[in-house]
Amino acid sequence: METQRQKKIGGVIQKDIADILQRAATDGGLKGTLISVSKVSVTSDLSIAKVYVSIFPADKGKELLEGMKSNQPIIKHELAQRTKNQLRRVPELLFFLDDSLEYIDGIEKSLKGEENPVKNPDLLEKRKKS
């Protein structure tokens, strides 16, 4: 269970990192790429922040995530400059790819396609765990 303080710090980090990453993407020549921070989870001792990033189009996701991980000290420094009046110490940033939109899209495609368990109940038997 997150405390109110963890939620507030997560919100501040989420807003600022989203702005930092989007600005870095446009400055880096990725004009058609949309980077959004879907969630920031901060540990109870406020030392680690897990940043879940959603990237559109999804084919550039792995490449951009690796770039974020390699440039983590630069991103942390920029975040520290922006939050110096709100946070004493900036937590260590861990970046993760948020693939929930792809998961939802896969479910929608399977329901529209021939693997629809509502239209073909025989598919339910192969999905049950024994």
Side-chain angles (χ1 to χ4, degrees), residues 61-72:
K62 301 272 187 210
E63 176 186 331
L64 287 174
L65 186 66
E66 291 303 316
M68 286 177 214
K69 287 180 181 179
S70 65
N71 291 323
Q72 187 264 350

Side-chain angles (χ1 to χ4, degrees), residues 45-61:
D45 62 350
L46 308 176
S47 64
I48 298 172
K50 293 182 180 178
V51 180
Y52 294 93
V53 180
S54 179
I55 299 170
F56 184 80
D59 59 338
K60 297 180 181 179

Side-chain angles (χ1 to χ4, degrees), residues 6 33 37 44-45 58 63 70 82-83 96 98 101 118 124:
Q6 286 173 290
T33 305
V37 178
S44 59
D45 62 350
E63 176 186 331
S70 65
R82 290 173 181 242
T83 61
F96 298 97
D98 183 20
L101 293 176
V118 175
L124 292 176

Side-chain angles (χ1 to χ4, degrees), residues 97-109:
L97 193 60
D98 183 20
D99 59 351
S100 59
L101 293 176
E102 295 169 20
Y103 180 73
I104 292 169
D105 192 40
I107 290 174
E108 287 179 358
K109 284 182 182 178

